[in-house]
Amino acid sequence: MASRDLELLIPVSNLSENGSKSSTTSPNVTSTHNHTGQEAFLKVIRSWASKKFMSGCVILLPIAITFYVTWGFIRFVDGFFSPIYNHLGINIFGLGFITSITFIFLVGIFMSSWLGISLLTLGEWFIKKMPLVSYIYVASKQISVAISPDQSSNAFKEVAIIRHPRVGEYAIGFITSSVILRNRDDDELFCVYVPTNHLYLGDIYLISPNDILRPNLSVREGIEIVISGGMSIPKILTIVDAHANFAPRKATYASKV
């Protein structure tokens, strides 16, 4: 009887409320867990898709740029002689390109001779007399001479590493020439060109040979490092202790008494 009377004393409303709460909260908890799982799954899918998309862009972008630049170069070179063939009624794509490449090759052979050098010198003399054209020609010639395969006319003699601008920091440059600084002791200084905007703009420093580090890099490798923004630099650089391959330069003027 006591237990039955105790059960009768429990409010019916509380039982109904507790039952309803337990019945209503369980679906909400289940739906919340499902929603959180879907969001996590979608985040994983989006992260995976974005990574794969960027990987595809990284692989295809240099290929697309290479083909685009190559195709533009072929069409540009082909445009020199293709109008002549079109006027003659010969419409073969690539024939103008082959003719242009052959013409450039023949010009290289001809300019290596004595007659070609004489004509080039005469033509440069006329160009340098023109006010605006002379600056454009000189600047473009310096760039072309810098990457010339002819080592005798190569403007960049060696790749140099100098301590610049602060202690512990280094800059990659190119040794272009040497100069004698006449004071109490005739000190030989090397002219080091440090590019600041690819190869077109840069700073020039006169540095003692003892303050120059010479890595095991060719001039072409140094140019590739500068153009690529340092991405093509080797993982390990070895400093070569050999001196620069310059002929000893002496002062060409004599002191007047």
Side-chain angles (χ1 to χ4, degrees):
M1 282 299 288
S3 61
R4 182 176 179 82
D5 294 335
L6 184 60
E7 291 176 0
L8 292 174
L9 292 176
I10 298 174
V12 179
S13 60
N14 292 339
L15 290 174
S16 62
E17 288 178 359
N18 292 334
S20 62
K21 286 180 181 179
S22 62
S23 62
T24 55
T25 53
S26 59
N28 291 334
V29 173
T30 305
S31 62
T32 302
H33 285 300
N34 292 334
H35 185 66
T36 305
Q38 291 177 358
E39 287 184 349
F41 179 73
L42 291 176
K43 287 182 179 179
V44 172
I45 293 297
R46 284 196 296 265
S47 177
W48 178 83
S50 62
K51 287 182 180 179
K52 297 303 178 183
F53 181 79
M54 291 303 299
S55 299
C57 290
V58 170
I59 294 173
L60 293 178
L61 183 61
I63 297 176
I65 293 176
T66 302
F67 277 102
Y68 180 79
V69 173
T70 304
W71 178 254
F73 175 76
I74 292 175
R75 294 187 61 182
F76 174 76
V77 177
D78 184 76
F80 287 106
F81 288 95
S82 59
I84 300 176
Y85 290 111
N86 293 334
H87 183 73
L88 297 176
I90 303 174
N91 297 321
I92 300 176
F93 179 77
L95 186 59
F97 175 77
I98 296 174
T99 306
S100 300
I101 296 299
T102 305
F103 176 75
I104 295 173
F105 179 73
L106 294 177
V107 168
I109 295 177
F110 176 73
M111 289 302 172
S112 300
S113 62
W114 176 84
L115 181 59
I117 295 175
S118 301
L119 292 178
L120 180 61
T121 304
L122 182 62
E124 287 182 345
W125 183 81
F126 280 108
I127 292 176
K128 290 180 180 179
K129 295 298 181 180
M130 302 179 183
L132 180 61
V133 179
S134 60
Y135 294 104
I136 301 174
Y137 177 79
V138 170
S140 59
K141 184 180 179 180
Q142 288 177 350
I143 296 174
S144 63
V145 168
I147 59 176
S148 173
D150 187 7
Q151 297 296 326
S152 61
S153 61
N154 200 336
F156 294 160
K157 308 299 182 183
E158 280 187 90
V159 179
I161 296 179
I162 62 174
R163 294 179 176 88
H164 172 77
R166 294 184 296 268
V167 178
E169 296 184 4
Y170 299 87
I172 293 181
F174 301 93
I175 299 176
T176 58
S177 61
S178 63
V179 62
I180 298 297
L181 181 62
R182 171 150 291 187
N183 48 19
R184 293 181 179 178
D185 297 327
D186 291 343
D187 297 329
E188 183 183 18
L189 301 177
F190 283 164
C191 182
V192 179
Y193 173 74
V194 179
T196 57
N197 183 10
H198 289 85
L199 289 175
Y200 310 109
L201 297 175
D203 298 325
I204 298 174
Y205 300 96
L206 296 177
I207 302 177
S208 172
N210 298 326
D211 297 329
I212 296 177
L213 302 176
R214 297 177 177 84
N216 57 336
L217 294 173
S218 63
V219 173
R220 189 170 299 275
E221 290 174 339
I223 293 174
E224 291 177 357
I225 292 172
V226 173
I227 294 177
S228 65
M231 291 186 292
S232 63
I233 190 170
K235 298 298 182 182
I236 299 176
L237 288 178
T238 304
I239 302 302
V240 181
D241 293 330
H243 295 286
N245 296 322
F246 293 132
R249 179 174 175 178
K250 302 297 182 181
T252 56
Y253 58 90
S255 58
K256 295 181 180 180
V257 181

